[in-house]
Amino acid sequence: MMRISLLLGTVGLLGCGNGKGSDTPGTILVDGEEEVPTLVLTLERPTATAGDELGWGMVLVWESGDVIELDAEIASNIEPDLRLGATGIIPIVAGTHTLTATAEYDGETWTADTPLGVTAAAVATVDLGLSDLAFPAGSAIDWEIGAWDAYGNVIDTAAVSPELDSADASVDGSTLTSTMPGAYTATASVDGVSDREVFVVTPDAADS
């Protein structure tokens, strides 16, 4: 198991377990009765960007103020191969994770869950897809734009449309069209990352 230091951050009181008996090391007695501790799982912050390192910790806390830091393992429900860094976890899958920390103490297995929201990292790849690279004048082709970060997380491109290098061609909803034969360049840009495609408009057969 990896020793993780408790870090200041968002604290969730997420569950508790039972100790053994009053003669068990670490047991706290209050008015002659065993006090059951609360399991506390902390995250450095409740959200992260994919690829960022995020500190975390897990402790047992008694009402009397006693605290025991636990050696714990942590896992994500949507990222089976959750990476471990020098000081914490490095999630790379965008989405809402349920993190589960597990530790052994006093013969018991202690677990706690907490959510973590992970957003995509900066745009790394943009792809402009055209349904065809040539079409007759007066016709149209479909276009679509995709964008991803360095970890393969999808980035929203709903508000992005291609830009054309000539006023003789135009974007009409989800299609590109032109009535003038020639070669045109369409460019899709998302946060400074671009992809270009060249398409050719051929003379309409009815005009030849």
Side-chain angles (χ1 to χ4, degrees):
M1 289 189 182
M2 184 177 182
R3 184 72 170 179
I4 305 294
S5 297
L6 177 64
L7 298 175
L8 295 178
T10 304
V11 177
L13 302 181
L14 300 167
C16 63
N18 295 321
K20 287 298 185 180
S22 60
D23 58 345
T24 303
T27 299
I28 307 297
L29 298 181
V30 178
D31 296 330
E33 297 185 358
E34 181 180 342
E35 180 188 350
V36 178
T38 299
L39 188 64
V40 178
L41 175 61
T42 66
L43 295 179
E44 185 178 2
R45 53 190 181 278
T47 60
T49 300
D52 287 352
E53 190 160 358
L54 182 71
W56 67 282
M58 188 172 176
V59 296
L60 289 175
V61 179
W62 284 261
E63 290 183 5
S64 59
D66 291 277
V67 177
I68 293 180
E69 185 179 352
L70 301 179
D71 285 329
E73 293 180 345
I74 194 166
S76 166
N77 66 321
I78 65 172
E79 189 174 339
D81 299 321
L82 185 62
R83 301 180 184 183
L84 295 177
T87 60
I89 57 174
I90 307 175
I92 63 172
V93 176
T96 301
H97 296 241
T98 296
L99 298 178
T100 301
T102 305
E104 299 291 331
Y105 174 73
D106 195 17
E108 299 284 345
T109 298
W110 296 73
T111 61
D113 296 334
T114 193
L116 172 66
V118 178
T119 56
V123 177
T125 304
V126 172
D127 180 62
L128 171 59
L130 303 181
S131 60
D132 205 337
L133 296 181
F135 62 93
S139 297
I141 55 174
D142 296 325
W143 62 266
E144 61 180 5
I145 298 171
W148 301 265
D149 68 8
Y151 307 103
N153 295 305
V154 175
I155 294 171
D156 185 18
T157 60
V160 181
S161 296
E163 296 182 355
L164 302 175
D165 65 340
S166 172
D168 290 334
S170 61
V171 179
D172 183 10
S174 61
T175 65
L176 302 179
T177 187
S178 177
T179 60
M180 294 292 294
Y184 301 90
T185 299
T187 303
S189 297
V190 183
D191 293 342
V193 181
S194 301
D195 184 35
R196 293 177 175 82
E197 294 290 346
V198 175
F199 62 94
V200 176
V201 178
T202 59
D204 188 350
D207 295 335
S208 57

